[in-house]
Amino acid sequence: MCGIVGYVGRSEAAPILLDGLRRLEYRGYDSAGVAIVDGDRVETRKCAGRIADLGKLMTAEPPAGTYGISHTRWATHGKPTDQNAHPHFDQSGKLALVHNGVIENYQALREDLQREGEHNFTSDTDTEVLAHLIGKHFEASGSNGNANAKSRLVTAVRTALQQVIGTYGIALVHKDIPDFIVGARRGSPLVLGVGKEENFLASDVSAIVAYTRDAVYLNDFDIVAVEREKFEISSLAGEGGHYQVSKVEFTDEDIKKGDYPHYMLKEIYEQPGSVRDAMRGRLSAEECTAKLGGLEMTTAELRAVDRIVLTGCGTALHAGRIGEYIIEQLAGLPVEIEFSSEFRHRNTPMTGDTLVFAISQSGETADTLGALRESRRKGYRTLGICNNVASTIARESDGGVYMHAGPEIGVAATKSFTSQVTIMSLIGLLFGRMRHLSTSEGSEVIDALEALPAQIEETLKLTDHVKEIAKKYARSPGVLFFGRQFNYPVALEGALKLKEITYIFAEGHPSAELKHGIIALVRPEVPCVFIAPDDAVFSKNLNNMEQVKARKGPIIAVTSGGCAKRLEGIADDVITVPSAPDFVMPVLSVIPLQLLAYHMAVELGLDVDKPRNLAKSVTVE
Ligand code: F6R
C-alpha cells in the first residue's frame, strides 16, 4: 500500500529510484513520482499511472543528482491524479516528502496551518499537509540560528510527527541540505539499506536487495537521518534508537520473474518448494509430532491452551478458516476464526488460556496488526504466522511460525495460502499429539504432509486441462464456488482469486447453502465450481451438483480418487487432483482454482500481477 524508495550515494539516483519503484509496484500502482536534488534544484517528475509512465517522463527529461526520494501510490486521500501523486512540497518549495499511510487529523492540521499564515495547498492529500507542517517547523527553527540544518530538520520532523495522529512511513529531502534524507515510521514499514558509500530507504527490502543485503528494519516511532556514509536513528521522543543490521534472506534473483509471464504463475509453480519449506525441520518422525520452536512456549504452556483464535484478512483469513477445521479435527481444541478488522474493534470474550494467531503473509496488514495489538493489550499470548521476516507483525508478536515461502510479488496471494494451510496442519499436529493423537496417528499426519510436495507437482500437471476450461468460461457474467468442510474455505479462496484478477463476480459458499437462496442465481451462463474430493461428504456434494444440473447450470468439479467416475453425466468438466486425507486436501484442491483464475484473466487480456484497485500489502484500515 504505497511504496517508498530513497537513495543517497555517489551514483545517479534516478535509475536506482525507478528500479526500486518497479519492484515495489505491487504495493500500489495508480500514480508515481520522484524528487531528486541537483545542486540548488529539486527535480520532480510525477504522474498518474504506472511506473512505466513515470519511466517515460524520466527518460524524456532525465533528472540528475545523487540523492532523492520516490513513491508509488495507492490512493487513500485524493484521486489518482498528477497533482495528488507524491512527492509533495512544503510552502517554501524546498522540502519534498513521500508518505505511505494515513494522517487521520490532516483536516485539523491543514486548517491550523491556514489560520496561522500563508499555506497554499495544491493537492487533496494528507501528505501535503505533513510536508507543510514539517516545513513550518524547520523554517521557524532557522531563526534560532544555533543548531545546524541537519539536526534542525530532524527536530522539525520530530515536532511535526508528535502532532500527527495516524500512520506513516515517510522519506524527505530538503534542497538546502545536500546528501541528506530523513525517514520515519509509525505503522507503515520502512527499511534502511546499508551500503558502501551509499544508503537506501525503502518500504520493503525487495526494492534495494539488488544493491545491498544489509538492512535495518526500523521500529515504530524511529526517525532516521541518512547520509552517504552514515546514518543515525533516534526515537520520536528524542532518544537514541536501538537497531540491528540484519542480512536479507533472499537475493535479487529470487524476486525476478524468470521465464514466467507473470509472478502469479511463477508463485503457483513454486508451491511444491514453498510447502516443503514450510515443513522443513519441523516434523519429528521419532516423536510423531511437529516441532515449532518459534512459538517460544514450554510444553506445559502449550498443554494449558484451551482455545485458539485465528485472525487474518483475505486469503490469510481463508487459510485460517481451514485451520479451524484442521486444528479442531487433529487437536480437538475449540478454534474460532475472526476477521482481523472485526476482532480489533470487538470485545471478543476470551478465556485465560486462549492462544491467538495472527496470520499475515506481509506481516504489515494494518487490520491484522491492529488485532494483534488488541489481543496483546488484553494480555493474551499472540503469535504471528508471517512470511516477511522482521515484518511488524512478526516483531510485535510473542513468537510464531515463519512461512519461509520466499518473496510473494503477485498481488493475488497463492503460495502463501498453501504455506499457511500447511502450518495450520503443523499446529494441529503439535496440539493433537499433546492431547488425544496416538503415535501412529501422528505418523499418518506426517506421512500425509510429506507426500504433499510431490502431489502438488502432480496437480500442477493439470494446467493445460484447466486452461481449456478457463477459455470456455472466461466470459461468464459470474461464477459460483461451492465446497463442504475443509473445502468450504477453498471455495471462498477460489472465488476471491477469480474476483481479484478477472473482475468477474464470484461468490463462495458451503455447498448445502445452495438451496437456501443461492440457487436463484443458477442459470446456463453461470458456471458452478464444486470442490468435491473423495471424502465423507462427497455424496452430499453430489446431491448439490444434481440440484444445479436440474437447473441447467454448468458444473466444474474438482475431485479426487475414484470419484471422477461418479461425476460422469453430472459435471461438465472434471479436474482430478491426487487423493489425500481431508485435512491436507485444501493444499491440492486450491491449485486448480488458482490456475483457473489465472488462465481466465490471461484469456481476458488482463494485468494478472497488478489487478485494478488492489495493492499487495494493505497498511491502511
Ligand atoms: C488475496 C490477497 C489479500 C491478502 C490480504 C491479507 O489474494 O492477497 O486478500 O491475503 O490482504 O494480506 P496479508 O496476508 O499480507 O496480511
Side-chain angles (χ1 to χ4, degrees), residues 313-316 359-365 368 393 408 411-413 416 420 493 496-497 500 615-618:
C313 305
T315 289
I359 311 170
S360 173
Q361 187 283 130
S362 62
E364 301 292 349
T365 300
T368 310
I393 292 176
E408 189 179 67
V411 166
S416 61
Q420 287 156 355
E493 179 60 7
L496 180 62
K497 289 291 88 91
E500 282 181 299
K616 180 82 181 152
S617 175
V618 186

Side-chain angles (χ1 to χ4, degrees), residues 227-279:
E227 299 183 56
R228 204 184 278 154
E229 276 153 14
K230 61 177 182 174
F231 60 87
E232 195 174 317
I233 297 175
S234 57
S235 73
L236 189 61
E239 291 145 11
H242 302 285
Y243 68 87
Q244 194 189 337
V245 181
S246 320
K247 261 286 172 255
V248 178
E249 262 194 348
F250 56 88
T251 66
D252 191 34
E253 278 310 300
D254 296 326
I255 51 174
K256 290 195 174 143
K257 244 186 341 218
D259 292 335
Y260 288 94
H262 298 101
Y263 277 109
M264 183 180 176
L265 192 63
K266 174 181 182 241
E267 288 156 10
I268 290 173
Y269 273 84
E270 280 174 347
Q271 289 177 107
S274 52
V275 164
R276 191 179 291 114
D277 288 342
M279 299 187 274

Side-chain angles (χ1 to χ4, degrees), residues 18 43 45 52-63:
L18 198 60
E43 293 275 354
R45 309 278 182 278
D53 300 308
L54 176 67
K56 279 182 209 150
L57 274 186
M58 290 175 68
T59 319
E61 281 181 84

Side-chain angles (χ1 to χ4, degrees), residues 16-36:
I16 295 172
L17 295 178
L18 198 60
D19 178 50
L21 287 184
R22 278 194 202 103
R23 292 160 193 266
L24 291 189
E25 201 170 12
Y26 71 88
R27 297 180 65 87
Y29 33 84
D30 58 38
S31 48
V34 299
I36 295 173

